[in-house]
Amino acid sequence: MKNNLLSEKLVYTGDTRTPTHLHLVRYTPDEVHEYTADSLPPIEPQFSEKGMIWLQVHGLKETETVRQVCDRFGIDFLVMQDILNADHPTKVEEHERYMLVVAKFFRGGEEMQVCLVQGADFVLSFIESESPLFDDIPQAIRNNVLKFRSRPSDYLLSVLLNSITANYATLISKLDGDLDDLETGLLSTTDCRDTGGQIQELRHRYLQLKQAALPLRDQYAKLLHSDSALLHKNVRPFFNDVNDHLQYVVQQIDLCRETLSSLVDLYISNNDLRMNAIMKRLTIVSTIFIPLTFLVGVWGMNFRRMPELEWEYGYPAAWAAILFIGAVVYLIFRKKEWR
């Protein structure tokens, strides 16, 4: 990692090549306007119009566009660097004129970063690529759900945060279901040849969720206890509701950790049982052949005076003895139910 305090150049550190484009939603209690553009100038006149502004920036490849957007809304240079740093840790940061939230979310199993900047009359969201994370929010604004268009910008911030938390909740629910299915499979069979890989895959998903949700839970307390004028008292219940959802997700993550630990123990136990079953079969086979090996060894000795060697029916009698003894030992084990 280079020292970002020694450079004035903005560099996007991710590997997503989505072309940068903007989606603007400007709304008042009475109307909603939506615009899309590939750069800032075509939609910049809308910023001087009356209403609340929600500007979505998809794709961070064009760093100059990101700089223009941030400069237009008075975002500090260091915050610009944080936005373009795809591996930035989750954080909540309070500035004089805006609040910053850096969080992670998941799209198709891939972890992505979202940055939210909330000011007095605007909210900016920066996402590395196209994502359905916030797709249902424009419709809610159009329908004025819960008097959406009459509320301040921090309400929009709480809704965006709730979408991120819902993303976690969906994935943790899917993970919990997969863990239950795997547990059922482990309890019904001792054949674990494919189970080890499944456990490792589920463990990887669990760790991803944990690394995304736990830091956000810890940082979220800054929003709950902030005295910033940007966070209004009448919107606090919505932030508390998001916190409840986040706490639920963290609790489910803890339960998944315990379930994973139990599954690993069950997997090891099943492997031991499978190994014991294999060893039992080998022991039975060995026990059947031990007396037969003894007989063959005796008759294979090169003594001159062995009556059986001169007997006309010695060879058939030897086979009869071998088959009889083998069958008796087999029946004894079967009668004892192979114990």
PDB file of all heavy atoms in Angstrom, residues 13-27:
ATOM      1  N   THR A  13      -8.661   1.382  -6.988  1.00  0.00           N
ATOM      2  CA  THR A  13      -7.849   0.194  -6.682  1.00  0.00           C
ATOM      3  C   THR A  13      -8.559  -1.120  -6.975  1.00  0.00           C
ATOM      4  O   THR A  13      -7.972  -2.181  -6.797  1.00  0.00           O
ATOM      5  CB  THR A  13      -7.439   0.212  -5.199  1.00  0.00           C
ATOM      6  OG1 THR A  13      -8.615   0.142  -4.372  1.00  0.00           O
ATOM      7  CG2 THR A  13      -6.660   1.478  -4.865  1.00  0.00           C
ATOM      8  N   GLY A  14      -9.819  -1.062  -7.401  1.00  0.00           N
ATOM      9  CA  GLY A  14     -10.546  -2.294  -7.688  1.00  0.00           C
ATOM     10  C   GLY A  14     -10.265  -2.825  -9.071  1.00  0.00           C
ATOM     11  O   GLY A  14      -9.512  -2.238  -9.847  1.00  0.00           O
ATOM     12  N   ASP A  15     -10.890  -3.958  -9.400  1.00  0.00           N
ATOM     13  CA  ASP A  15     -10.687  -4.592 -10.703  1.00  0.00           C
ATOM     14  C   ASP A  15     -11.958  -4.614 -11.550  1.00  0.00           C
ATOM     15  O   ASP A  15     -12.010  -5.281 -12.580  1.00  0.00           O
ATOM     16  CB  ASP A  15     -10.155  -6.016 -10.528  1.00  0.00           C
ATOM     17  CG  ASP A  15     -11.053  -6.867  -9.635  1.00  0.00           C
ATOM     18  OD1 ASP A  15     -12.135  -6.384  -9.245  1.00  0.00           O
ATOM     19  OD2 ASP A  15     -10.666  -8.006  -9.327  1.00  0.00           O
ATOM     20  N   THR A  16     -12.996  -3.915 -11.101  1.00  0.00           N
ATOM     21  CA  THR A  16     -14.234  -3.851 -11.870  1.00  0.00           C
ATOM     22  C   THR A  16     -14.102  -2.803 -12.972  1.00  0.00           C
ATOM     23  O   THR A  16     -13.740  -1.667 -12.711  1.00  0.00           O
ATOM     24  CB  THR A  16     -15.429  -3.499 -10.961  1.00  0.00           C
ATOM     25  OG1 THR A  16     -15.512  -4.464  -9.915  1.00  0.00           O
ATOM     26  CG2 THR A  16     -16.724  -3.495 -11.749  1.00  0.00           C
ATOM     27  N   ARG A  17     -14.404  -3.202 -14.184  1.00  0.00           N
ATOM     28  CA  ARG A  17     -14.219  -2.315 -15.339  1.00  0.00           C
ATOM     29  C   ARG A  17     -15.526  -1.681 -15.817  1.00  0.00           C
ATOM     30  O   ARG A  17     -15.610  -1.223 -16.967  1.00  0.00           O
ATOM     31  CB  ARG A  17     -13.605  -3.107 -16.487  1.00  0.00           C
ATOM     32  CG  ARG A  17     -12.227  -3.707 -16.200  1.00  0.00           C
ATOM     33  CD  ARG A  17     -11.191  -2.627 -16.014  1.00  0.00           C
ATOM     34  NE  ARG A  17     -10.931  -2.354 -14.593  1.00  0.00           N
ATOM     35  CZ  ARG A  17     -10.163  -1.390 -14.169  1.00  0.00           C
ATOM     36  NH1 ARG A  17      -9.588  -0.556 -15.021  1.00  0.00           N
ATOM     37  NH2 ARG A  17      -9.970  -1.215 -12.875  1.00  0.00           N
ATOM     38  N   THR A  18     -16.520  -1.639 -14.976  1.00  0.00           N
ATOM     39  CA  THR A  18     -17.800  -1.035 -15.360  1.00  0.00           C
ATOM     40  C   THR A  18     -17.615   0.449 -15.694  1.00  0.00           C
ATOM     41  O   THR A  18     -17.073   1.194 -14.872  1.00  0.00           O
ATOM     42  CB  THR A  18     -18.827  -1.168 -14.220  1.00  0.00           C
ATOM     43  OG1 THR A  18     -19.004  -2.554 -13.909  1.00  0.00           O
ATOM     44  CG2 THR A  18     -20.160  -0.552 -14.605  1.00  0.00           C
ATOM     45  N   PRO A  19     -18.059   0.891 -16.875  1.00  0.00           N
ATOM     46  CA  PRO A  19     -17.936   2.325 -17.206  1.00  0.00           C
ATOM     47  C   PRO A  19     -18.713   3.176 -16.202  1.00  0.00           C
ATOM     48  O   PRO A  19     -19.816   2.823 -15.798  1.00  0.00           O
ATOM     49  CB  PRO A  19     -18.549   2.421 -18.613  1.00  0.00           C
ATOM     50  CG  PRO A  19     -18.465   1.031 -19.163  1.00  0.00           C
ATOM     51  CD  PRO A  19     -18.617   0.116 -17.992  1.00  0.00           C
ATOM     52  N   THR A  20     -18.138   4.270 -15.812  1.00  0.00           N
ATOM     53  CA  THR A  20     -18.775   5.151 -14.835  1.00  0.00           C
ATOM     54  C   THR A  20     -19.993   5.829 -15.437  1.00  0.00           C
ATOM     55  O   THR A  20     -19.930   6.394 -16.534  1.00  0.00           O
ATOM     56  CB  THR A  20     -17.771   6.219 -14.354  1.00  0.00           C
ATOM     57  OG1 THR A  20     -16.624   5.573 -13.805  1.00  0.00           O
ATOM     58  CG2 THR A  20     -18.395   7.101 -13.292  1.00  0.00           C
ATOM     59  N   HIS A  21     -21.126   5.760 -14.744  1.00  0.00           N
ATOM     60  CA  HIS A  21     -22.330   6.459 -15.177  1.00  0.00           C
ATOM     61  C   HIS A  21     -23.129   6.862 -13.948  1.00  0.00           C
ATOM     62  O   HIS A  21     -22.967   6.292 -12.864  1.00  0.00           O
ATOM     63  CB  HIS A  21     -23.163   5.600 -16.134  1.00  0.00           C
ATOM     64  CG  HIS A  21     -23.551   4.263 -15.574  1.00  0.00           C
ATOM     65  ND1 HIS A  21     -22.687   3.206 -15.486  1.00  0.00           N
ATOM     66  CD2 HIS A  21     -24.729   3.833 -15.062  1.00  0.00           C
ATOM     67  CE1 HIS A  21     -23.296   2.165 -14.951  1.00  0.00           C
ATOM     68  NE2 HIS A  21     -24.537   2.517 -14.678  1.00  0.00           N
ATOM     69  N   LEU A  22     -23.996   7.847 -14.124  1.00  0.00           N
ATOM     70  CA  LEU A  22     -24.690   8.472 -13.008  1.00  0.00           C
ATOM     71  C   LEU A  22     -26.194   8.298 -13.159  1.00  0.00           C
ATOM     72  O   LEU A  22     -26.736   8.321 -14.265  1.00  0.00           O
ATOM     73  CB  LEU A  22     -24.361   9.967 -12.949  1.00  0.00           C
ATOM     74  CG  LEU A  22     -22.873  10.356 -13.053  1.00  0.00           C
ATOM     75  CD1 LEU A  22     -22.734  11.872 -13.057  1.00  0.00           C
ATOM     76  CD2 LEU A  22     -22.073   9.751 -11.914  1.00  0.00           C
ATOM     77  N   HIS A  23     -26.849   8.137 -12.028  1.00  0.00           N
ATOM     78  CA  HIS A  23     -28.310   8.090 -11.994  1.00  0.00           C
ATOM     79  C   HIS A  23     -28.775   9.056 -10.907  1.00  0.00           C
ATOM     80  O   HIS A  23     -28.479   8.871  -9.728  1.00  0.00           O
ATOM     81  CB  HIS A  23     -28.813   6.680 -11.697  1.00  0.00           C
ATOM     82  CG  HIS A  23     -30.304   6.578 -11.648  1.00  0.00           C
ATOM     83  ND1 HIS A  23     -30.961   5.588 -10.951  1.00  0.00           N
ATOM     84  CD2 HIS A  23     -31.267   7.359 -12.206  1.00  0.00           C
ATOM     85  CE1 HIS A  23     -32.268   5.762 -11.073  1.00  0.00           C
ATOM     86  NE2 HIS A  23     -32.475   6.821 -11.838  1.00  0.00           N
ATOM     87  N   LEU A  24     -29.484  10.081 -11.305  1.00  0.00           N
ATOM     88  CA  LEU A  24     -29.922  11.127 -10.379  1.00  0.00           C
ATOM     89  C   LEU A  24     -31.424  11.021 -10.134  1.00  0.00           C
ATOM     90  O   LEU A  24     -32.212  10.897 -11.083  1.00  0.00           O
ATOM     91  CB  LEU A  24     -29.600  12.515 -10.954  1.00  0.00           C
ATOM     92  CG  LEU A  24     -30.176  13.715 -10.204  1.00  0.00           C
ATOM     93  CD1 LEU A  24     -29.587  13.830  -8.803  1.00  0.00           C
ATOM     94  CD2 LEU A  24     -29.945  14.999 -10.995  1.00  0.00           C
ATOM     95  N   VAL A  25     -31.785  11.048  -8.861  1.00  0.00           N
ATOM     96  CA  VAL A  25     -33.192  11.142  -8.467  1.00  0.00           C
ATOM     97  C   VAL A  25     -33.335  12.421  -7.648  1.00  0.00           C
ATOM     98  O   VAL A  25     -32.728  12.551  -6.586  1.00  0.00           O
ATOM     99  CB  VAL A  25     -33.643   9.931  -7.637  1.00  0.00           C
ATOM    100  CG1 VAL A  25     -35.114  10.083  -7.244  1.00  0.00           C
ATOM    101  CG2 VAL A  25     -33.427   8.633  -8.411  1.00  0.00           C
ATOM    102  N   ARG A  26     -34.113  13.364  -8.169  1.00  0.00           N
ATOM    103  CA  ARG A  26     -34.389  14.612  -7.437  1.00  0.00           C
ATOM    104  C   ARG A  26     -35.877  14.643  -7.127  1.00  0.00           C
ATOM    105  O   ARG A  26     -36.706  14.486  -8.016  1.00  0.00           O
ATOM    106  CB  ARG A  26     -33.997  15.831  -8.273  1.00  0.00           C
ATOM    107  CG  ARG A  26     -34.244  17.163  -7.559  1.00  0.00           C
ATOM    108  CD  ARG A  26     -33.746  18.338  -8.388  1.00  0.00           C
ATOM    109  NE  ARG A  26     -34.409  18.427  -9.685  1.00  0.00           N
ATOM    110  CZ  ARG A  26     -35.614  19.000  -9.865  1.00  0.00           C
ATOM    111  NH1 ARG A  26     -36.272  19.503  -8.833  1.00  0.00           N
ATOM    112  NH2 ARG A  26     -36.134  19.061 -11.090  1.00  0.00           N
ATOM    113  N   TYR A  27     -36.190  14.805  -5.851  1.00  0.00           N
ATOM    114  CA  TYR A  27     -37.595  14.743  -5.481  1.00  0.00           C
ATOM    115  C   TYR A  27     -37.960  15.814  -4.465  1.00  0.00           C
ATOM    116  O   TYR A  27     -37.134  16.289  -3.680  1.00  0.00           O
ATOM    117  CB  TYR A  27     -37.957  13.357  -4.937  1.00  0.00           C
ATOM    118  CG  TYR A  27     -37.156  12.907  -3.725  1.00  0.00           C
ATOM    119  CD1 TYR A  27     -37.611  13.169  -2.428  1.00  0.00           C
ATOM    120  CD2 TYR A  27     -35.965  12.210  -3.873  1.00  0.00           C
ATOM    121  CE1 TYR A  27     -36.893  12.740  -1.313  1.00  0.00           C
ATOM    122  CE2 TYR A  27     -35.242  11.786  -2.776  1.00  0.00           C
ATOM    123  CZ  TYR A  27     -35.712  12.052  -1.498  1.00  0.00           C
ATOM    124  OH  TYR A  27     -34.989  11.636  -0.399  1.00  0.00           O
TER     125      TYR A  27
END
